[in-house]
Amino acid sequence: MKHREPPKFPCLEPEVDRISSLPGHVLDQILSQLSIRDAVRTSALSSKWRYKWAKIPQLVFDSNCVPNPSQDQTLIKNKLVNIVDHVLLLHTGPIHKFKLSHRDILGVSDIDRWILHLSRSSIKEFILEIWKGQRYKVPSSLFSCEHLIHLELFNCLLKPPLSFKGFRNLKSLDLQHITLTQHVFENLILSCPLLERLTLMNFDGFTHLNINATNLQFFDIGGVYDEVSFENTFQLTLISIGLYVNVKNDRNAVHGNSSKLLRFFANLPHIRRLEIQSLFLKYLAIGNIPSRLPRPCIDLNYLSIRINFNDMEENSAALCILRSSPNVQELEMLARPEEQASVGAISNFWEDDHWNSLFGQLRLVKIVGISGVKSELDFINFLLSNSPVLERMTVRPATNDGGFELLKELLRFRRASVRAEIIYLDP
C-alpha cells in the first residue's frame, strides 16, 4: 500500500521591507522631499522609522504644517508654535536649514528661543518670513551663526550687537521689507567677504545705497532710494534694478559734468545681464549723457530697459547704453505708456543718423507695452535697420486700439537682416 505524500504548499517567505533597507542617505533624501508634518508621521510606519525623521538636516515650517486655513488664527499660531517646539526638542541630528514662513505667524518671542537654539548648531541656511504685524527685531543670537551660507529675512528689524564681526561664510543674502541704518547695512555687506548673491527689496532707514562687495556676482534690488552706487564690484555680472528715485531732487543736485550714467557703469566691467526696471532709466538720465560709455560693456549679452519713449533724456540714455553694448544678443524694451501721454512727443530722435550703432550680435528683440506713437515706431525702425543678424522681433502693444495700423507700419519697415521675422502678439 502506497503512502500518500502530504500536499506541498508554496513556501511563504516574509515580505521584505525594501524601503527600510535602502541606504541611509537615500532615506534622508526621501524624507527631505516630504513636509515636516508628513516626515514626523513616518514614525508610525515601524520601529525602524520611529526616529528617522529626527535626523532630517532641513526643517521647513510653512503652511503645510497647519493645513486648515479656516481655523482661528490664534489657534493656528499656537499649533505651529507647538509643532516647532516638538520638532526641535526631539531632533537629534545637525540642522543645516531652517525655514519659518507662515502667514499667521507674528514676530513672537518663541522665535527668539528657536534662533537661540539654532545658533548652537552649525546652521547653514536660515529663512524667516514674518508676513504680519510690525517688524520683528532679530535677536543678537542670529549674528553668532558663523556657519551661515544663505540668509533670508522678510519684515524684520536688524540691529547687530557691537561684537558682530560679520558672516564670514555667507554667500547669499536676501533682505525684503527690512529696517536698518545705512551704517549697519554697509558694515553688513563689507563683513561678508564671500557674498555672491544679494537681493534687496523695500528698505526703511536710509536712502543712499552703496554696494561694496568684491565677490558679488548677482544683484537684485527694488524700492525707493535717492542714490545707488557700486564700489569694488568687478565680479558683478547679473543685475536687476528697479528703483523709484527722487529724480527732482537729483536734478537740482547735479552740477558741472556729473553723470549718473557714467558713475553707475564705472565699477561694472564684466556685466553680462542687465535689467533696468521701474523708473531707474530716468535716474540714469540725470546729468550729462555721453554718446558712448568710456569703456564698452563687451560681456553684456542680455539687456532689458523700461523706458518712456517720449522722454528725450531717457532716449539719450538708452541710446548710450545700446551703443556701448556691441555684443548684446537679446534685447527687451518695456514701454511706460502711462507716462507718455503726459510728456510732449519728441520728434526725429531715432530718425537721426545713428549709422555707427550697428548691433552685430543682436538676434532676439522683445518690445512690450507700446501704443504706436511715432517715437516708438522710429525706435523699431532703427533697430531693424541696424541689426544685420536679427532673427526675431516680438511686439506686444499695450492695448488693441490701432493694432491693425501698427501691424501695417511694422511690416513696412526695411530690415537689415534677411532672416528677421516680426511677430505681433495681442495684449
Side-chain angles (χ1 to χ4, degrees):
M1 186 176 181
K2 295 182 178 179
H3 294 285
R4 182 177 296 176
E5 295 182 1
K8 295 181 179 180
F9 295 98
C11 181
L12 297 176
E13 297 181 359
E15 190 174 332
V16 179
D17 185 355
R18 298 185 182 277
I19 295 181
S20 297
S21 61
L22 291 172
H25 70 278
V26 177
L27 293 177
D28 291 341
Q29 185 64 28
I30 293 174
L31 288 171
S32 68
Q33 301 302 313
L34 302 176
S35 68
I36 191 65
R37 180 170 176 265
D38 290 336
V40 173
R41 292 170 71 181
T42 62
S43 61
L45 294 176
S46 69
S47 59
K48 291 183 178 180
W49 282 85
R50 187 172 183 182
Y51 293 111
K52 283 189 181 295
W53 70 267
K55 296 182 179 180
I56 299 175
Q58 299 180 341
L59 302 180
V60 176
F61 302 94
D62 53 19
S63 57
N64 292 321
C65 293
V66 188
N68 190 357
S70 62
Q71 293 180 338
D72 179 72
Q73 291 184 1
T74 302
L75 181 62
I76 292 176
K77 187 204 75 170
N78 292 336
K79 280 187 175 182
L80 183 61
V81 169
N82 290 335
I83 289 172
V84 178
D85 281 340
H86 178 78
V87 170
L88 292 180
L89 177 64
L90 297 180
H91 198 277
T92 57
I95 301 175
H96 294 158
K97 174 182 177 180
F98 181 92
K99 177 178 179 179
L100 178 62
S101 176
H102 196 286
R103 293 194 176 273
D104 290 310
I105 195 71
L106 299 173
V108 294
S109 59
D110 301 279
I111 302 178
D112 293 0
R113 293 190 292 104
W114 301 333
I115 294 178
L116 178 60
H117 178 86
L118 294 169
S119 67
R120 295 165 181 165
S121 64
S122 300
I123 185 76
K124 295 180 179 179
E125 185 174 349
F126 182 81
I127 302 171
L128 177 61
E129 296 176 338
I130 307 295
W131 295 97
K132 291 183 177 181
Q134 298 178 343
R135 296 277 200 264
Y136 166 67
K137 184 179 179 181
V138 176
S140 59
S141 55
L142 178 67
F143 298 96
S144 63
C145 298
E146 58 183 19
H147 298 285
L148 275 178
I149 295 176
H150 174 79
L151 176 60
E152 191 171 331
L153 300 174
F154 186 97
N155 191 25
C156 293
L157 169 65
L158 295 185
K159 191 174 182 180
L162 296 177
S163 59
F164 177 60
K165 302 300 182 183
F167 296 117
R168 312 307 294 181
N169 297 296
L170 195 70
K171 293 186 177 181
S172 176
L173 179 61
D174 187 328
L175 303 176
Q176 301 190 37
H177 296 272
I178 300 296
T179 298
L180 75 172
T181 65
Q182 184 164 350
H183 175 72
V184 168
F185 172 76
E186 293 182 355
N187 281 349
L188 176 63
I189 301 303
L190 278 173
S191 61
C192 301
L194 300 183
L195 190 64
E196 297 176 356
R197 298 178 63 88
L198 179 60
T199 299
L200 307 173
M201 295 290 169
N202 300 315
F203 269 41
D204 293 328
F206 63 98
T207 58
H208 287 69
L209 189 67
N210 181 53
I211 306 298
N212 188 342
T214 57
N215 208 43
L216 193 64
Q217 300 173 26
F218 171 89
F219 181 53
D220 184 11
I221 183 172
V224 181
Y225 297 92
D226 290 338
E227 181 76 34
V228 58
S229 59
F230 297 94
E231 187 177 351
N232 299 318
T233 52
F234 302 114
Q235 303 299 320
L236 191 53
T237 57
L238 288 82
I239 298 180
S240 178
I241 186 163
L243 298 188
Y244 292 89
V245 294
N246 193 337
V247 176
K248 183 178 293 186
N249 289 345
D250 280 325
R251 290 195 191 282
N252 295 334
V254 170
H255 301 286
N257 296 321
S258 178
S259 170
K260 299 287 189 183
L261 198 62
L262 293 178
R263 184 177 179 185
F264 177 77
F265 283 96
N267 286 278
L268 303 174
H270 301 299
I271 187 170
R272 290 191 289 110
R273 182 184 179 97
L274 175 60
E275 299 177 7
I276 299 174
Q277 304 297 334
S278 304
L279 302 179
F280 193 61
L281 186 63
K282 187 182 291 292
Y283 167 85
L284 293 177
I286 296 173
N288 292 338
I289 302 174
S291 60
R292 294 176 186 269
L293 296 175
R295 181 169 50 191
C297 303
I298 59 175
D299 295 321
L300 188 64
N301 55 54
Y302 177 91
L303 177 62
S304 176
I305 300 177
R306 187 169 291 276
I307 183 174
N308 178 358
F309 279 103
N310 278 344
D311 187 294
M312 178 68 77
E313 286 78 15
E314 289 192 38
N315 280 270
S316 299
L319 179 59
C320 172
I321 297 172
L322 289 169
R323 279 175 167 168
S324 306
S325 309
N327 297 316
V328 66
Q329 299 179 20
E330 188 171 351
L331 174 65
E332 181 182 52
M333 300 297 291
L334 307 169
R336 300 203 307 272
E338 67 279 2
E339 292 182 60
Q340 293 180 177
S342 61
V343 180
I346 62 175
S347 61
N348 305 326
F349 179 86
W350 296 104
E351 286 184 345
D352 291 344
D353 187 7
H354 302 303
W355 60 269
N356 57 348
S357 301
L358 285 176
F359 307 112
Q361 304 294 327
L362 187 60
R363 287 171 168 78
L364 301 175
V365 174
K366 293 181 182 179
I367 300 179
V368 181
I370 63 172
S371 55
V373 298
K374 185 177 184 301
S375 56
E376 297 169 341
L377 296 176
D378 288 346
F379 174 76
I380 294 174
N381 190 21
F382 165 73
L383 278 185
L384 291 173
S385 302
N386 289 280
S387 306
V389 298
L390 184 66
E391 297 173 3
R392 184 171 68 249
M393 175 182 286
T394 303
V395 179
R396 185 194 295 271
T399 66
N400 280 318
D401 296 340
F404 182 68
E405 293 299 322
L406 174 59
L407 181 58
K408 286 197 302 183
E409 288 290 331
L410 295 176
L411 296 177
R412 184 176 61 84
F413 294 145
R414 300 179 67 178
R415 310 170 197 180
S417 172
V418 296
R419 300 176 56 194
E421 62 174 339
I422 298 178
I423 300 174
Y424 180 90
L425 300 177
D426 291 330

